[in-house]
Amino acid sequence: MEWVETTGKTVDEAVEAALDQLGVDRAEADIEILDEAKTGLFGRVRSEARIRARVARVKPRAKDDRRERKTKPPAEAVVASRPVEGEGTGAATPAKRTRSTASKSAVVKSQAPVPGVVPRANREPRPPREPRAPRETSAMPSQEVSEAGEKFLNGLVNAFGLVGTVTTHTVGDGITEFRISGPDLGVMIGPKAQTLTAIQDLLRTVVYYQVDGDAGRLLLDVGGYRERRRQALEEFTKKVAADVLASGQSRALEPMSPADRKVVHDTAGGIDGIVSLSEGEDTARRVVLSLG
Protein backbone atom coordinates (compact mmCIF):
# COMPACT_ATOMS: atom_id res chain seq x y z
CA MET A 1 0.00 0.00 0.00
CA GLU A 2 1.10 3.62 -0.64
CA TRP A 3 2.39 5.78 2.19
CA VAL A 4 0.70 9.08 3.04
CA GLU A 5 2.49 11.94 4.81
CA THR A 6 0.72 14.29 7.19
CA THR A 7 1.70 17.03 9.63
CA GLY A 8 0.24 18.39 12.85
CA LYS A 9 1.02 20.42 15.94
CA THR A 10 1.63 17.12 17.71
CA VAL A 11 2.43 13.58 16.58
CA ASP A 12 -1.04 12.41 17.64
CA GLU A 13 -2.66 15.13 15.55
CA ALA A 14 -0.60 14.14 12.52
CA VAL A 15 -1.47 10.47 13.06
CA GLU A 16 -5.20 11.23 13.25
CA ALA A 17 -4.96 13.18 10.01
CA ALA A 18 -3.30 10.20 8.32
CA LEU A 19 -5.96 7.82 9.63
CA ASP A 20 -8.63 10.10 8.14
CA GLN A 21 -6.97 9.85 4.74
CA LEU A 22 -6.56 6.08 4.94
CA GLY A 23 -9.97 5.45 6.47
CA VAL A 24 -8.66 2.92 8.99
CA ASP A 25 -8.20 2.65 12.76
CA ARG A 26 -4.83 3.13 14.44
CA ALA A 27 -4.43 -0.63 14.92
CA GLU A 28 -4.74 -1.17 11.14
CA ALA A 29 -1.97 1.25 10.15
CA ASP A 30 1.84 1.26 10.02
CA ILE A 31 3.05 4.60 11.36
CA GLU A 32 6.53 6.13 11.15
CA ILE A 33 7.48 9.39 12.83
CA LEU A 34 9.61 11.50 10.49
CA ASP A 35 9.91 14.68 12.57
CA GLU A 36 8.87 15.54 16.10
CA ALA A 37 7.14 18.85 16.77
CA LYS A 38 9.51 21.58 17.94
CA THR A 39 8.49 24.47 20.17
CA GLY A 40 10.10 27.86 20.58
CA LEU A 41 9.71 30.56 23.19
CA PHE A 42 6.49 30.66 25.22
CA GLY A 43 5.48 27.24 23.89
CA ARG A 44 4.94 28.41 20.32
CA VAL A 45 5.19 25.74 17.64
CA ARG A 46 8.36 26.30 15.64
CA SER A 47 7.94 23.28 13.35
CA GLU A 48 5.11 20.77 13.13
CA ALA A 49 5.36 17.04 13.61
CA ARG A 50 5.54 15.03 10.40
CA ILE A 51 4.67 11.34 10.05
CA ARG A 52 3.93 8.86 7.32
CA ALA A 53 1.46 6.00 7.46
CA ARG A 54 0.01 3.21 5.39
CA VAL A 55 -2.52 0.43 5.82
CA ALA A 56 -0.85 -2.41 7.73
CA ARG A 57 -0.79 -5.95 6.49
CA VAL A 58 -0.88 -8.29 9.47
CA LYS A 59 0.39 -11.82 8.90
CA PRO A 60 1.17 -14.48 11.50
CA ARG A 61 4.85 -15.22 12.07
CA ALA A 62 6.14 -18.24 10.18
CA LYS A 63 6.61 -21.37 12.25
CA ASP A 64 10.24 -21.70 11.15
CA ASP A 65 11.05 -18.33 12.73
CA ARG A 66 9.86 -19.33 16.19
CA ARG A 67 12.56 -20.21 18.68
CA GLU A 68 12.74 -23.75 19.89
CA ARG A 69 12.14 -24.10 23.60
CA LYS A 70 14.72 -25.89 25.70
CA THR A 71 13.49 -29.15 27.08
CA LYS A 72 13.62 -29.66 30.84
CA PRO A 73 15.90 -32.41 32.20
CA PRO A 74 14.10 -35.63 33.12
CA ALA A 75 12.94 -35.98 36.70
CA GLU A 76 15.20 -39.04 37.18
CA ALA A 77 18.31 -36.92 36.61
CA VAL A 78 17.27 -34.45 39.32
CA VAL A 79 16.50 -37.22 41.78
CA ALA A 80 19.80 -38.97 41.05
CA SER A 81 21.77 -35.80 41.81
CA ARG A 82 20.31 -35.59 45.33
CA PRO A 83 22.24 -37.41 48.09
CA VAL A 84 20.63 -40.13 50.16
CA GLU A 85 20.34 -39.13 53.79
CA GLY A 86 22.61 -41.14 56.07
CA GLU A 87 24.82 -42.40 53.27
CA GLY A 88 28.53 -42.62 54.11
CA THR A 89 30.25 -42.04 57.46
CA GLY A 90 29.43 -38.36 57.87
CA ALA A 91 26.26 -36.32 57.86
CA ALA A 92 24.19 -36.04 54.72
CA THR A 93 25.46 -33.48 52.18
CA PRO A 94 22.86 -30.82 51.28
CA ALA A 95 21.31 -31.21 47.87
CA LYS A 96 22.29 -27.66 46.94
CA ARG A 97 26.00 -28.43 47.45
CA THR A 98 25.73 -31.65 45.44
CA ARG A 99 24.22 -29.87 42.46
CA SER A 100 26.90 -27.18 42.66
CA THR A 101 29.63 -29.81 42.63
CA ALA A 102 28.02 -31.56 39.68
CA SER A 103 27.81 -28.30 37.73
CA LYS A 104 31.48 -27.56 38.39
CA SER A 105 32.51 -30.99 37.15
CA ALA A 106 30.40 -30.44 34.05
CA VAL A 107 32.28 -27.20 33.36
CA VAL A 108 35.63 -28.94 33.77
CA LYS A 109 34.57 -31.67 31.36
CA SER A 110 33.34 -29.13 28.82
CA GLN A 111 36.75 -27.46 28.83
CA ALA A 112 38.55 -30.68 27.96
CA PRO A 113 39.68 -30.89 24.30
CA VAL A 114 37.42 -32.83 22.02
CA PRO A 115 39.03 -34.86 19.19
CA GLY A 116 38.43 -33.28 15.79
CA VAL A 117 37.18 -29.94 17.17
CA VAL A 118 39.36 -26.82 16.85
CA PRO A 119 39.18 -24.47 19.86
CA ARG A 120 37.41 -21.19 19.13
CA ALA A 121 40.52 -19.15 19.92
CA ASN A 122 42.46 -21.00 17.19
CA ARG A 123 39.79 -20.77 14.52
CA GLU A 124 40.28 -18.61 11.46
CA PRO A 125 37.88 -15.65 11.21
CA ARG A 126 34.91 -16.23 8.96
CA PRO A 127 34.66 -14.17 5.79
CA PRO A 128 32.03 -11.42 5.96
CA ARG A 129 28.61 -12.41 4.69
CA GLU A 130 27.34 -10.85 1.52
CA PRO A 131 24.27 -8.67 2.09
CA ARG A 132 21.04 -10.30 1.04
CA ALA A 133 19.12 -8.81 -1.82
CA PRO A 134 15.85 -7.21 -0.73
CA ARG A 135 12.90 -9.54 -1.04
CA GLU A 136 10.70 -8.62 -3.94
CA THR A 137 7.05 -8.11 -3.19
CA SER A 138 4.93 -10.09 -5.59
CA ALA A 139 1.94 -8.60 -7.30
CA MET A 140 -1.38 -8.96 -5.56
CA PRO A 141 -2.49 -12.55 -6.12
CA SER A 142 -6.12 -11.65 -6.79
CA GLN A 143 -7.06 -15.22 -7.71
CA GLU A 144 -5.64 -16.63 -4.48
CA VAL A 145 -7.21 -13.83 -2.44
CA SER A 146 -10.60 -14.40 -4.04
CA GLU A 147 -10.55 -18.16 -3.55
CA ALA A 148 -9.38 -17.99 0.08
CA GLY A 149 -11.82 -15.23 1.04
CA GLU A 150 -14.84 -16.70 -0.73
CA LYS A 151 -14.22 -20.15 0.74
CA PHE A 152 -14.09 -18.72 4.27
CA LEU A 153 -17.16 -16.52 3.84
CA ASN A 154 -19.24 -19.23 2.20
CA GLY A 155 -18.47 -21.52 5.11
CA LEU A 156 -19.40 -18.76 7.55
CA VAL A 157 -22.74 -18.11 5.81
CA ASN A 158 -23.55 -21.83 6.06
CA ALA A 159 -22.52 -21.84 9.72
CA PHE A 160 -25.00 -19.03 10.38
CA GLY A 161 -27.67 -21.09 8.65
CA LEU A 162 -28.25 -18.35 6.07
CA VAL A 163 -28.46 -18.18 2.29
CA GLY A 164 -26.07 -15.81 0.57
CA THR A 165 -23.79 -15.31 -2.42
CA VAL A 166 -20.18 -14.17 -2.03
CA THR A 167 -18.54 -12.08 -4.76
CA THR A 168 -15.19 -10.29 -5.03
CA HIS A 169 -14.64 -6.77 -6.38
CA THR A 170 -11.63 -4.51 -6.84
CA VAL A 171 -12.57 -1.09 -5.49
CA GLY A 172 -9.21 0.67 -5.55
CA ASP A 173 -5.46 0.30 -5.91
CA GLY A 174 -4.65 -2.83 -3.91
CA ILE A 175 -8.10 -2.84 -2.27
CA THR A 176 -10.36 -5.89 -2.57
CA GLU A 177 -13.92 -5.89 -1.28
CA PHE A 178 -15.89 -9.07 -0.61
CA ARG A 179 -19.66 -8.71 -0.80
CA ILE A 180 -22.25 -11.04 0.64
CA SER A 181 -25.72 -10.64 -0.84
CA GLY A 182 -28.90 -12.45 0.14
CA PRO A 183 -32.02 -12.19 2.30
CA ASP A 184 -32.06 -11.76 6.09
CA LEU A 185 -28.35 -11.07 6.59
CA GLY A 186 -28.88 -8.65 9.47
CA VAL A 187 -27.38 -11.08 11.99
CA MET A 188 -24.05 -10.82 10.15
CA ILE A 189 -24.16 -7.01 10.39
CA GLY A 190 -25.12 -6.55 14.02
CA PRO A 191 -25.78 -3.31 15.93
CA LYS A 192 -23.70 -0.44 14.53
CA ALA A 193 -22.05 -2.99 12.18
CA GLN A 194 -20.04 -4.48 15.06
CA THR A 195 -20.53 -8.06 13.84
CA LEU A 196 -19.63 -7.06 10.29
CA THR A 197 -16.41 -5.45 11.54
CA ALA A 198 -15.51 -8.57 13.54
CA ILE A 199 -16.09 -10.82 10.52
CA GLN A 200 -13.95 -8.49 8.41
CA ASP A 201 -11.08 -8.88 10.90
CA LEU A 202 -11.44 -12.68 10.76
CA LEU A 203 -11.50 -12.55 6.96
CA ARG A 204 -8.23 -10.63 6.87
CA THR A 205 -6.57 -13.05 9.29
CA VAL A 206 -7.63 -16.10 7.26
CA VAL A 207 -6.62 -14.69 3.87
CA TYR A 208 -3.29 -13.24 5.04
CA TYR A 209 -2.41 -16.60 6.58
CA GLN A 210 -3.20 -18.63 3.45
CA VAL A 211 -1.95 -16.31 0.71
CA ASP A 212 1.74 -15.85 -0.12
CA GLY A 213 2.75 -12.33 -1.00
CA ASP A 214 0.93 -9.05 -0.52
CA ALA A 215 -2.83 -9.56 -0.44
CA GLY A 216 -3.49 -5.83 -0.21
CA ARG A 217 -6.25 -4.30 1.86
CA LEU A 218 -9.41 -6.36 2.33
CA LEU A 219 -12.91 -5.00 2.99
CA LEU A 220 -16.25 -6.69 3.59
CA ASP A 221 -19.79 -5.58 2.81
CA VAL A 222 -22.82 -7.58 3.91
CA GLY A 223 -26.24 -7.05 2.35
CA GLY A 224 -25.09 -3.75 0.82
CA TYR A 225 -24.78 -2.14 4.26
CA ARG A 226 -21.53 -0.30 3.60
CA GLU A 227 -22.70 0.92 0.21
CA ARG A 228 -25.93 2.27 1.70
CA ARG A 229 -23.96 3.85 4.53
CA ARG A 230 -21.58 5.45 2.03
CA GLN A 231 -24.42 6.90 -0.04
CA ALA A 232 -26.22 8.18 3.05
CA LEU A 233 -23.06 9.90 4.29
CA GLU A 234 -22.48 11.50 0.89
CA GLU A 235 -26.02 12.89 0.79
CA PHE A 236 -25.80 14.04 4.41
CA THR A 237 -22.47 15.79 3.77
CA LYS A 238 -23.88 17.61 0.74
CA LYS A 239 -26.88 18.77 2.77
CA VAL A 240 -24.73 20.07 5.63
CA ALA A 241 -22.37 21.75 3.16
CA ALA A 242 -25.34 23.57 1.60
CA ASP A 243 -26.35 24.84 5.06
CA VAL A 244 -22.80 26.05 5.71
CA LEU A 245 -22.71 27.90 2.39
CA ALA A 246 -26.07 29.51 3.11
CA SER A 247 -25.39 30.51 6.73
CA GLY A 248 -21.65 31.07 6.58
CA GLN A 249 -21.24 29.21 9.88
CA SER A 250 -19.20 26.05 10.43
CA ARG A 251 -20.91 22.80 11.35
CA ALA A 252 -19.45 19.99 13.42
CA LEU A 253 -20.76 16.51 12.62
CA GLU A 254 -21.23 13.67 15.09
CA PRO A 255 -18.19 11.50 15.98
CA MET A 256 -17.48 8.91 13.30
CA SER A 257 -15.17 6.04 12.52
CA PRO A 258 -12.11 6.69 10.33
CA ALA A 259 -13.81 5.01 7.35
CA ASP A 260 -16.88 7.25 7.67
CA ARG A 261 -14.75 10.37 8.13
CA LYS A 262 -12.92 9.51 4.93
CA VAL A 263 -16.22 9.43 3.03
CA VAL A 264 -17.13 12.86 4.44
CA HIS A 265 -13.72 14.33 3.57
CA ASP A 266 -13.84 12.92 0.04
CA THR A 267 -17.35 14.29 -0.52
CA ALA A 268 -16.57 17.70 0.95
CA GLY A 269 -13.44 17.91 -1.20
CA GLY A 270 -15.63 17.91 -4.31
CA ILE A 271 -17.81 20.85 -3.15
CA ASP A 272 -16.62 24.34 -4.08
CA GLY A 273 -16.26 26.74 -1.17
CA ILE A 274 -16.22 23.99 1.49
CA VAL A 275 -13.26 22.70 3.48
CA SER A 276 -13.27 19.88 6.01
CA LEU A 277 -11.05 19.11 8.95
CA SER A 278 -11.12 16.65 11.84
CA GLU A 279 -10.94 17.55 15.50
CA GLY A 280 -11.06 15.58 18.75
CA GLU A 281 -9.38 12.32 19.70
CA ASP A 282 -10.16 8.62 19.44
CA THR A 283 -13.90 7.85 19.57
CA ALA A 284 -14.75 11.56 19.99
CA ARG A 285 -13.08 12.59 16.72
CA ARG A 286 -15.45 14.34 14.34
CA VAL A 287 -15.43 16.25 11.04
CA VAL A 288 -16.04 20.00 10.86
CA LEU A 289 -17.28 21.62 7.65
CA SER A 290 -16.57 25.30 7.11
CA LEU A 291 -16.22 27.90 4.37
CA GLY A 292 -13.05 27.65 2.37
Side-chain angles (χ1 to χ4, degrees):
M1 299 298 295
E2 296 293 334
W3 292 89
V4 297
E5 288 192 12
T6 55
T7 58
K9 295 181 180 179
T10 63
V11 171
D12 288 339
E13 185 176 314
V15 169
E16 293 292 349
L19 297 179
D20 286 350
Q21 292 189 30
L22 296 174
V24 298
D25 295 319
R26 187 183 292 257
E28 298 178 299
D30 289 330
I31 299 171
E32 292 184 4
I33 300 176
L34 302 179
D35 293 310
E36 295 275 0
K38 298 179 180 179
T39 56
L41 294 175
F42 309 108
R44 294 180 179 177
V45 178
R46 189 172 62 184
S47 62
E48 293 186 328
R50 185 166 64 95
I51 65 101
R52 70 172 188 167
R54 67 178 179 182
V55 178
R57 178 181 181 272
V58 181
K59 188 170 184 178
R61 185 187 300 178
K63 295 182 180 179
D64 296 338
D65 296 338
R66 300 173 183 172
R67 296 181 179 179
E68 296 182 357
R69 298 182 178 179
K70 296 182 179 180
T71 58
K72 295 183 179 180
E76 293 79 5
V78 178
V79 175
S81 64
R82 297 177 181 174
V84 179
E85 188 174 353
E87 188 178 64
T89 57
T93 305
K96 182 177 181 180
R97 183 178 299 177
T98 304
R99 288 195 297 269
S100 176
T101 305
S103 63
K104 289 182 180 179
S105 62
V107 173
V108 173
K109 291 180 180 179
S110 65
Q111 293 177 353
V114 180
V117 178
V118 181
R120 180 175 298 180
N122 300 333
R123 296 177 186 174
E124 296 182 359
R126 295 180 179 179
R129 295 181 178 180
E130 297 182 0
R132 294 181 179 180
R135 184 179 179 181
E136 297 182 359
T137 303
S138 59
M140 187 181 73
S142 57
Q143 187 65 26
E144 286 187 79
V145 171
S146 299
E147 292 178 356
E150 291 179 6
K151 180 180 179 181
F152 167 73
L153 293 175
N154 280 320
L156 196 62
V157 170
N158 294 332
F160 271 96
L162 304 174
V163 177
T165 303
V166 181
T167 55
T168 310
H169 305 268
T170 300
V171 296
D173 184 16
I175 303 176
T176 302
E177 184 176 71
F178 292 87
R179 299 173 187 172
I180 305 177
S181 57
D184 302 326
L185 297 175
V187 68
M188 298 187 69
I189 299 174
K192 296 183 179 180
Q194 293 178 354
T195 306
L196 190 154
T197 302
I199 296 175
Q200 179 175 264
D201 292 340
L202 290 174
L203 170 68
R204 291 171 175 172
T205 302
V206 170
V207 174
Y208 291 158
Y209 185 82
Q210 295 183 7
V211 174
D212 293 330
D214 187 5
R217 184 183 173 198
L218 306 181
L219 302 176
L220 174 65
D221 191 5
V222 177
Y225 171 84
R226 291 197 186 277
E227 182 60 29
R228 293 194 303 271
R229 175 72 174 171
R230 187 182 300 115
Q231 293 177 358
L233 281 174
E234 290 176 353
E235 294 299 324
F236 177 71
T237 303
K238 293 176 182 179
K239 182 178 181 300
V240 174
D243 293 341
V244 172
L245 290 173
S247 64
Q249 297 181 352
S250 300
R251 283 277 304 275
L253 307 183
E254 63 181 6
M256 299 179 183
S257 66
D260 288 347
R261 292 199 302 269
K262 176 175 173 56
V263 174
V264 174
H265 286 305
D266 291 344
T267 304
I271 303 175
D272 293 335
I274 292 294
V275 294
S276 63
L277 58 90
S278 294
E279 63 179 19
E281 298 179 357
D282 299 331
T283 57
R285 192 163 177 80
R286 64 185 69 204
V287 178
V288 178
L289 300 182
S290 58
L291 295 176

